[in-house]
Amino acid sequence: MKIGRREFDTEHHTYIMGILNITPDSFSDGGKYTGLDAALFRTKEMLEQGMDILDIGGESTRPGYQQVSWEEEAERVLPVIEAVRERFDVPISLDTCKSQVAREGIRAGADLINDIWGLKGDPQMGPAIAKAGVSCVLMHNRREAVYEDLVKNVAEDLKETVALAREANIHKEKIILDPGIGFGKTREQNLQMLCALESLKELGFPVLLGASRKSVIGLTLDLPVGERLEGTLVTTVFAVLKGCAFVRVHDIRENVRAVKMAEAILEAGNVSE
């Protein structure tokens, strides 16, 4: 698929999406990159370490997060999008669930909209994405972690999201699906979903995994946010083994190496067969 000016081989490689939170309250790096100079320095650093896509977010989505107006969110992200577009050749993803922010972000230079509500939070999001012709990551989410059959229900919910996308005339080749680790799921359900990632590929779209430093890792290993790198790398290796096309992560260099090693092992296995 094509995102911005870059082609991505989503069938044979797992790409790295780097996280850049322009927020004071994100669970892992809130407040670190709210200044433009800091944001640009971090972007350059992540590119040098092997990042393939930059994901810019202006509103925290951690549990219990404080919602901000679309105007405030736009005020945070637009200068960064414009500055990154001017200085770096990298596809830009905008992490937002507000159609007003999406439209302004696309005008500023965003190539992809990353929506944590999978078009179900704002009825104007689908049309905004379709009209601009940009790509999108559509994530699974629920208000409550109640399921009859987790994997089956997640797939059903994502089918509803895809239907909304098609109704809005978003082209099939522009859609990426995300199982929503850490959203509307318990620790046990998150682990179960991580183990069943390949089931989402059956829906016929590239899959993105976003598990970096999340609570499922902290609760499983009993570790604070700053000590969840090893757990994150395990989820990244699972993403490679299960055929995910993208991983959304904080620690670029280490995850690039994990992907490279996992892919080398898979490639050697394919040769021996």
Side-chain angles (χ1 to χ4, degrees), residues 253-264:
R253 178 186 289 113
E254 294 87 347
N255 280 279
V256 166
R257 291 172 178 172
V259 168
K260 187 174 182 179
M261 191 67 208
E263 288 185 342

Side-chain angles (χ1 to χ4, degrees), residues 52-144:
D52 298 297
I53 304 175
L54 176 67
D55 188 50
I56 298 172
E59 180 180 69
S60 172
T61 54
R62 63 182 175 81
Y65 71 96
Q66 182 67 42
Q67 282 192 311
V68 298
S69 68
W70 79 263
E71 292 92 345
E72 183 176 351
E73 185 179 340
E75 191 176 313
R76 292 175 180 179
V77 299
L78 296 182
V80 178
I81 294 172
E82 291 169 353
V84 169
R85 172 58 63 232
E86 182 181 333
R87 292 166 175 78
F88 302 105
D89 182 18
V90 61
I92 298 172
S93 165
L94 173 56
D95 184 351
T96 186
C97 56
K98 301 183 182 76
S99 60
Q100 302 101 317
V101 178
R103 281 191 288 267
E104 294 299 321
I106 292 165
R107 290 192 191 102
D111 304 297
L112 179 150
I113 299 299
N114 183 4
D115 181 4
I116 66 164
W117 281 106
L119 306 183
K120 295 179 180 180
D122 181 338
Q124 295 305 310
M125 183 64 90
I129 292 169
K131 183 177 181 180
V134 297
S135 301
C136 55
V137 174
L138 304 179
M139 196 189 83
H140 176 268
N141 208 340
R142 279 194 179 187
R143 299 287 179 189
E144 296 182 2

